[in-house]
Amino acid sequence: MTSSSTASSVFSALAPYGWDEAWADEFAPHEPEGLLPGRVIRVDRGQCDVLTAEGVVRADTAFVTPHDPMRVVCTGDWVAVEPAGSHPRYVRTYLPRRTAFVRSTSSERSEGQILAANIDHAIVAVSLAVELDLGRIERFLALAWESGAQPVVVLTKADLVPDAVTLSHLVEDVETTAPGVPVLTVSATLGEGLDVLAAIVGGGTSVLLGQSGAGKSTLANALLGEDVMEVQAARDVDGKGRHTTTTRNLLALPGGGVLIDTPGLRGVGLWDAESGVGQVFAEIEALAERCRFHDCAHESEPGCAVLDAIDAGELPQRRLESYRKLLRENQRIVAKTDARLRAEIRKDWKRKGAEGRAAMDAKRGRWR
């Protein structure tokens, strides 16, 4: 088979999974080594399933599991895998990622964990069967924006909302929380809203995110047109699920595009997501540009446009508190991994402390 026909067969096999000319150029240096391009569709226990032009192959990940968790191969990666006949068969390397959804791990070492790579859409599934947690939605969206993908919020189980007026209020609350993000209502049970979502995910790679019980597996099955993912009912007491999805799986959609389904996420810690937080709270950052002082903390400073907006009822107090909380959390995470930034933060703390003491001294002087 000629090299041109080989390239053609690779394109026909991998294009439905996102392969394009740019990926082919990235892979070109590995061709002389006899390696094959493929996309990781599942990773577990030191091995992974890779979709290649030969079909799905099982490969060892020993060469792509370094100590740094940010460099571990994950679902969605494009990789160079050894050809048939190699025993064992190894993934030798992965191609540079275009995007990646990263959260901080629950470990005290403050490490990042990549949940999905090379994604175009980050679908945040939120169940309407339980009370909305707007703060958690903001947290997901900050990571989604930071990933480089386009966030989309999908409000699932819309058939459980008693009336259209209540549903419209819930959608409005989420839209206020998610500026610049499409907000869709979906009922997988009734098949409502799926056509709009299918049109969005039909181009590129989408990752499905959310807590257990959000209806991710049901939603994935509806998009796939078959029961591929196991589904269990949420607990009646709190609406939480039982982690029916235990690994991250990449699946081709019948209408085009691919979907990465993920296990339910209990913890959604930020990981170096300052710009993502800024996009989630775009209206606050826009207001901040009109503050009298460029370093305004939006606490009690004169001429603060953010506080003026709160007083005028144009900005909810909850949004400002959530903004501050996520910025503080992100700053702590980054400080633990960046010595230079730690020093800058300490210097800033000292400066603010000195300013505070000076202000108190001035007040005492006036009081005397």
Side-chain angles (χ1 to χ4, degrees), residues 327-341:
L327 281 181
R328 287 195 301 267
E329 176 183 329
N330 189 72
Q331 193 177 55
R332 285 197 302 269
I333 288 293
V334 174
K336 289 179 180 179
T337 59
D338 189 325
R340 178 187 57 80
L341 184 58

Side-chain angles (χ1 to χ4, degrees), residues 105-359:
T105 65
S106 58
S107 88
E108 295 180 356
R109 292 176 293 176
S110 300
E111 295 175 335
Q113 178 191 24
I114 298 180
L115 299 183
N118 303 312
I119 53 175
D120 301 293
H121 300 99
I123 312 297
V124 181
V126 180
S127 173
L128 290 176
V130 295
E131 184 177 355
L132 286 177
D133 184 342
L134 299 179
R136 180 170 285 269
I137 294 174
E138 289 163 344
R139 187 175 286 273
F140 268 109
L141 291 178
L143 293 176
W145 280 121
E146 195 69 35
S147 75
Q150 167 64 53
V152 179
V153 176
V154 176
L155 302 178
T156 65
K157 307 182 183 182
D159 54 293
L160 299 182
V161 179
D163 59 83
V165 174
T166 301
L167 181 60
S168 66
H169 287 322
L170 292 172
V171 171
E172 184 179 355
D173 287 344
V174 176
E175 287 176 338
T176 302
T177 299
V181 177
V183 178
L184 312 178
T185 56
V186 168
S187 170
T189 302
L190 302 179
E192 296 175 351
L194 290 173
D195 54 342
V196 179
L197 180 58
I200 292 176
V201 302
T205 299
S206 302
V207 60
L208 191 54
L209 304 155
Q211 290 182 280
S212 296
K216 298 188 304 301
S217 295
T218 301
L219 192 59
N221 287 336
L223 291 170
L224 290 163
E226 56 181 318
D227 292 340
V228 174
M229 307 306 297
E230 182 184 355
V231 176
Q232 291 186 12
R235 297 195 300 252
D236 291 335
V237 65
D238 56 10
K240 294 182 179 179
R242 298 178 174 84
H243 289 290
T244 52
T245 301
T246 57
T247 59
R248 295 181 283 279
N249 304 281
L250 187 147
L251 307 159
L253 297 170
V258 293
L259 180 70
I260 299 176
D261 191 20
T262 64
L265 301 176
R266 289 194 181 93
V268 195
L270 297 188
W271 177 261
D272 197 7
E274 182 176 356
S275 65
V277 172
Q279 285 180 279
V280 174
F281 298 92
E283 80 279 30
I284 294 179
E285 301 228 326
L287 286 168
E289 293 179 359
R290 292 157 38 195
C291 291
R292 181 182 301 176
F293 305 108
H294 75 278
D295 59 347
C296 183
H298 321 307
E299 293 175 350
S300 59
E301 297 86 347
C304 175
V306 175
L307 296 180
D308 288 345
I310 289 177
D311 292 340
E314 300 168 356
L315 177 69
Q317 179 69 33
R318 187 204 67 80
R319 285 282 283 172
L320 178 57
E321 292 172 357
S322 183
Y323 175 64
R324 289 170 174 161
K325 178 181 179 180
L326 293 185
L327 281 181
R328 287 195 301 267
E329 176 183 329
N330 189 72
Q331 193 177 55
R332 285 197 302 269
I333 288 293
V334 174
K336 289 179 180 179
T337 59
D338 189 325
R340 178 187 57 80
L341 184 58
R342 282 200 300 270
E344 291 179 357
I345 291 173
R346 283 196 296 270
K347 182 179 179 180
D348 189 50
W349 285 344
K350 290 180 179 178
R351 177 182 63 81
K352 289 184 177 180
E355 291 174 352
R357 287 190 294 274

